[in-house]
Amino acid sequence: MCGIVGYIGHQQAADFLIEGLRRLEYRGYDSSGVVFNNGGRFSITKTAGRIDDLAAKLHEAPIRGTIGLGHTRWATHGPATDENAHPHVGGKNIVALVHNGVIENFRALKEQLAERGYYCKSSTDTEVIAQLVAYELDLRGVPAESASAADEYAPLVEAVQAALSQLRGTYGLAMVFRDWPDVIVAARLGSPLVIGIGNDEHYLASDGSPLVGRTNRIVYLADHELAVITSQSIRVVHRDEGHVRHSETVLEIDPTQVELGGFPHYMLKEIFEQPETVTAAVRGRLNRDEATAVFGGLNLTPHQLRAIDRIVLTACGTSWHAAMVGEYLIEAFARIPVEVEYASELRYRNPPMTPSTLLFAITQSGETIDTLAALREMKRKGHPTLAICNVVGSTIAREADGGVYLHAGPEIGVASTKAYTSQCVVMSMLALYFGRMHHLSFEAGLRIIDELTELPRHVEEALDTNDDARRIAAKYASCDNFLYLGRQYNFPTALEGALKLKEISYIHAEGYPAAEMKHGPIALVDEHTPSVFIVPQGGVYHKVISNMEEIKARGGPVIAIVDKDDSHAVELADDVIRVPAVAEFLQPIVTAVPLQLLAYHAAILRGCDVDKPRNLAKSVTVE
Ligand code: G6P
């Protein structure tokens, strides 16, 4: 988490830094800061609070400068205070830096540095890096003038690399220097950094979104790479390989995708985008002639894929719920055993795997550190790895052997909505694909294709539940606890509905398999604890109705998400939301929509900041 921006060129840096930080605010938003380097003199403004607070400070006391760095923080070490906000300076103001990541050995380094007279003032791990770089620079005592013109930055690179070699943990780093006033140094290990190429100017950012509208020429920095960036040049040095050629790629984000477009919040905009994002996920991927799905980027031969005898789906948060949907789908359609693993658990576990186990890492951002670590662990053990990812060019997308992009466009609201439904769509197409390689008949494949083709229309209709969701949210927004209950395909939806509510409205909510609720959560039920039942028609419909009876018998209010023409569940429910009837395997997608809307309206009514819920960040790049 945390977002980094940088600018070096001929324009005033402040505008880009503030605008870029706003675009990265989803990565963390408890404090922020900027540094400008004017001929070796640093001007720093930082503050606890949102980017608006930083912008206000800069408005009151503007700073001019054409070289600068900015940072938006999600606290890991030390509370969100002005002092702990980045940038941090090292030594006698000889370096200022911003950091995304975690330095695990910062305590030991802090002690060593203090013994050498380099004292940290903040409680962050980051300041240790600043002091360490300052120490390494001082040790060499090399002012810029003394270096040879041919490689004027060699002493600087050497000092920074010496500092980096002592760090244990992860970093995306950007630094400016007193003695090298015309340069930004960026370095990466585990936390993403993108360099944007402009006209006699360069940009730096944690991802491509701040660069939209500025340039579409970008360079991704890889792990163990360090970049020396001036307004005219980029030189990339790898820890082990020395100077390496950097390759330029095209940033493919449309400016309208990162704007609110008339919606009050990104989350609502993204919920309403789902008919298009679901369409984009399916586009070009259904083959009626073969009654199967088509994926261009799996990079595995049909022979290799047919030999897969076990699939592990790993993810975090909402993506983990999509993985659960995937488990139900793949096992049902393809009869291949599937395991769903929290990435944070998988990375440290050593579960027995068959040689032909395939790993899917499911991630919106492609940067979640636990998911990345789990992917690397499985790769190390020789398993093929595929990514289901939204952000093009993200670390996980690049490190996996192959994968499937969601094509959902940038998701900015911290609570995932459109990425989740697209992940479920991709899971259903993968299930079809693997199914057709094994037992699934041509006719069954064709039926699935027909259903998928109709899905965008059903998602569009599901958005009509907005008024009901708002009305029901108003009725229950003051409750302290909610239960979300569903069975089979709708059990992951219950988990996801509960997560949506708790993450943005701060109402405690638990998702449970509807029948399992009798083994504990039912003790919570009283007239102030609503239960949201996801109960469209299907194999377990009547079983879930019995579970509704059990809640009603204990005086609990029931909110039911039902099919359009439902006649049984509605008799028991206090409040009803009707969604279009779809095949059971697509119910998780269609029923997710009203649950997203319910959470959104509850959060608005409770005065919460839906796009930036407290304590959360969209891209979790720390363990
Ligand atoms: C964070 C976000 C969630 C997201 C999870 C996994 O917790 O707030 O919305 O589901 O990370 O992120 P990923 O990018 O890997 O899907």
Side-chain angles (χ1 to χ4, degrees):
M1 22 258 286
C2 297
I4 289 175
V5 286
Y7 177 82
I8 183 161
H10 46 86
Q11 304 185 49
Q12 291 302 316
D15 289 350
F16 170 71
L17 297 185
I18 292 298
E19 192 188 309
L21 287 178
R22 286 193 205 283
R23 296 236 179 112
L24 291 180
E25 211 175 359
Y26 73 85
R27 298 178 68 86
Y29 34 77
D30 57 38
S31 50
S32 57
V34 286
V35 56
F36 296 84
N37 190 0
N38 282 311
R41 246 193 33 255
F42 301 151
S43 306
I44 292 178
T45 299
K46 51 189 196 174
T47 183
R50 298 288 168 88
I51 307 297
D52 281 345
D53 301 309
L54 178 69
K57 266 194 163 180
L58 278 174
H59 186 72
E60 274 169 32
I63 309 178
R64 293 182 64 76
T66 58
I67 301 175
L69 306 174
H71 184 269
T72 181
R73 179 169 186 247
W74 186 87
T76 58
H77 295 71
T81 59
D82 289 3
E83 185 165 73
N84 287 335
H86 303 207
H88 289 283
V89 293
K92 295 200 170 77
N93 280 349
I94 66 170
V95 57
L97 63 78
V98 293
H99 169 222
N100 168 204
V102 168
I103 302 306
E104 290 164 7
N105 59 337
F106 84 101
R107 281 181 211 286
L109 290 170
K110 200 171 182 171
E111 278 170 25
Q112 279 171 24
L113 284 159
E115 281 163 20
R116 294 164 179 162
Y118 292 79
Y119 299 103
C120 294
K121 292 178 242 7
S122 74
S123 39
T124 64
D125 52 341
T126 300
E127 194 182 355
V128 167
I129 314 174
Q131 298 296 1
L132 192 57
V133 172
Y135 167 75
E136 293 293 342
L137 285 167
D138 286 342
L139 197 64
R140 285 160 180 81
V142 193
E145 307 83 75
S146 71
S148 79
D151 201 359
E152 62 182 306
Y153 300 115
L156 176 62
V157 170
E158 190 191 307
V160 175
Q161 279 184 326
L164 298 183
S165 69
Q166 297 168 61
L167 303 178
R168 217 178 55 232
T170 54
Y171 52 78
L173 282 169
M175 334 178 183
V176 288
F177 305 89
R178 182 191 66 192
D179 297 332
W180 280 266
D182 301 324
V183 71
I184 291 175
V185 168
R188 164 191 171 144
L189 179 61
S191 305
L193 280 178
V194 180
I195 302 168
I197 304 171
N199 298 320
D200 297 327
E201 61 192 342
H202 286 113
Y203 303 90
L204 183 70
S206 294
D207 69 29
S209 58
L211 309 180
V212 175
R214 303 264 175 179
T215 179
N216 62 358
R217 298 172 57 201
I218 57 166
V219 174
Y220 291 109
L221 218 55
D223 277 352
H224 299 297
E225 284 183 351
L226 173 156
V228 180
I229 308 165
T230 69
S231 58
Q232 306 294 324
S233 66
I234 304 170
R235 295 214 293 170
V236 179
V237 186
H238 187 276
R239 183 191 62 181
D240 308 321
E241 297 159 26
H243 282 279
V244 288
R245 274 177 64 85
H246 55 273
S247 51
E248 199 181 308
T249 47
V250 177
L251 177 69
E252 284 169 2
I253 307 179
D254 166 355
T256 59
Q257 292 177 321
V258 290
E259 286 159 10
L260 276 168
F263 284 90
H265 299 96
Y266 283 107
M267 180 180 178
L268 194 62
K269 178 189 179 218
E270 287 156 7
I271 292 172
F272 274 83
E273 277 173 1
Q274 289 175 111
E276 292 100 72
T277 51
V278 161
T279 307
V282 174
R283 188 174 293 127
R285 290 180 169 153
L286 297 176
N287 176 344
R288 295 189 66 83
D289 292 342
E290 305 284 340
T292 189
V294 189
F295 298 102
L298 297 185
N299 298 339
L300 296 171
T301 64
H303 180 72
Q304 285 171 310
L305 285 164
R306 210 165 285 115
I308 296 299
D309 60 6
R310 189 158 180 239
I311 291 176
V312 174
L313 305 174
T314 198
C316 302
T318 288
S319 298
W320 187 84
H321 296 153
M324 287 194 67
V325 173
E327 177 184 19
Y328 281 91
L329 285 161
I330 296 172
E331 291 195 341
F333 291 1
R335 320 289 309 141
I336 301 174
V338 177
E339 208 79 54
V340 176
E341 291 266 3
Y342 283 114
S344 53
E345 290 296 308
L346 180 61
R347 63 181 294 188
Y348 293 118
R349 244 156 62 75
N350 191 14
M353 302 275 177
T354 63
S356 305
T357 298
L358 170 66
L359 177 91
F360 277 102
I362 306 171
T363 166
Q364 187 285 130
S365 62
E367 301 294 347
T368 305
I369 201 79
D370 285 324
T371 310
L372 175 60
L375 176 112
R376 287 178 175 164
E377 182 63 17
M378 292 291 280
K379 264 184 100 163
R380 192 174 299 123
K381 291 178 176 157
H383 296 287
T385 59
L386 296 174
I388 298 173
C389 193
N390 192 35
V391 177
V392 176
S394 56
T395 309
I396 292 174
R398 284 182 293 132
E399 290 203 13
D401 297 321
V404 184
Y405 278 124
L406 303 179
H407 299 309
E411 190 180 66
I412 294 168
V414 165
S416 182
T417 52
K418 62 176 181 174
Y420 172 70
T421 47
S422 291
Q423 287 166 339
C424 292
V425 172
V426 168
M427 292 316 311
S428 62
M429 290 188 293
L430 283 167
L432 166 65
Y433 181 75
F434 281 107
R436 290 288 293 134
M437 282 190 162
H438 295 277
H439 313 279
L440 199 72
S441 71
F442 184 89
E443 286 72 23
L446 220 46
R447 273 199 302 278
I448 290 169
I449 289 183
D450 287 341
E451 296 282 352
L452 279 165
T453 312
E454 288 297 304
L455 181 65
R457 190 170 58 78
H458 294 313
V459 171
E460 180 93 57
E461 249 183 88
L463 290 170
D464 294 341
T465 59
N466 193 27
D467 289 342
D468 285 335
R470 190 188 296 113
R471 176 182 53 77
I472 295 169
K475 185 167 167 188
Y476 297 107
S478 60
C479 295
D480 294 328
N481 294 293
F482 269 66
L483 291 179
Y484 281 72
L485 303 165
R487 292 177 83 159
Q488 299 289 302
Y489 285 113
N490 297 308
F491 163 48
T493 316
L495 295 177
E496 175 57 10
L499 178 63
K500 281 289 88 74
L501 187 73
K502 79 181 123 193
E503 65 185 341
I504 60 170
S505 75
Y506 318 142
I507 297 173
H508 170 244
E510 280 190 45
Y512 244 75
E516 183 66 18
M517 150 285 281
K518 291 191 287 293
H519 303 285
I522 200 167
L524 298 175
V525 170
D526 60 18
E527 65 275 27
H528 306 297
T529 303
S531 294
V532 180
F533 276 88
I534 300 113
V535 58
Q537 286 293 335
V540 287
Y541 174 74
H542 290 287
K543 302 281 178 200
V544 182
I545 289 193
S546 305
N547 302 139
M548 284 172 77
E549 297 271 16
E550 290 152 12
I551 297 283
K552 287 304 297 175
R554 285 154 185 87
V558 166
I559 302 163
I561 313 293
V562 298
D563 278 352
K564 222 176 185 77
D565 53 2
D566 184 277
S567 53
H568 281 81
V570 292
E571 283 179 7
L572 279 174
D574 299 274
D575 294 279
V576 170
I577 298 183
R578 293 180 185 271
V579 292
V582 293
E584 276 189 73
F585 78 97
L586 292 179
Q587 286 172 352
I589 297 165
V590 170
T591 55
V593 175
L595 299 183
Q596 296 165 347
L597 290 165
L598 189 65
Y600 172 80
H601 290 297
I604 295 292
L605 289 161
R606 289 167 68 98
C608 303
D609 185 347
V610 286
D611 281 339
K612 299 182 195 81
R614 71 180 178 209
N615 303 339
L616 296 181
K618 186 147 192 75
S619 185
V620 180
T621 54
V622 294
E623 262 195 67

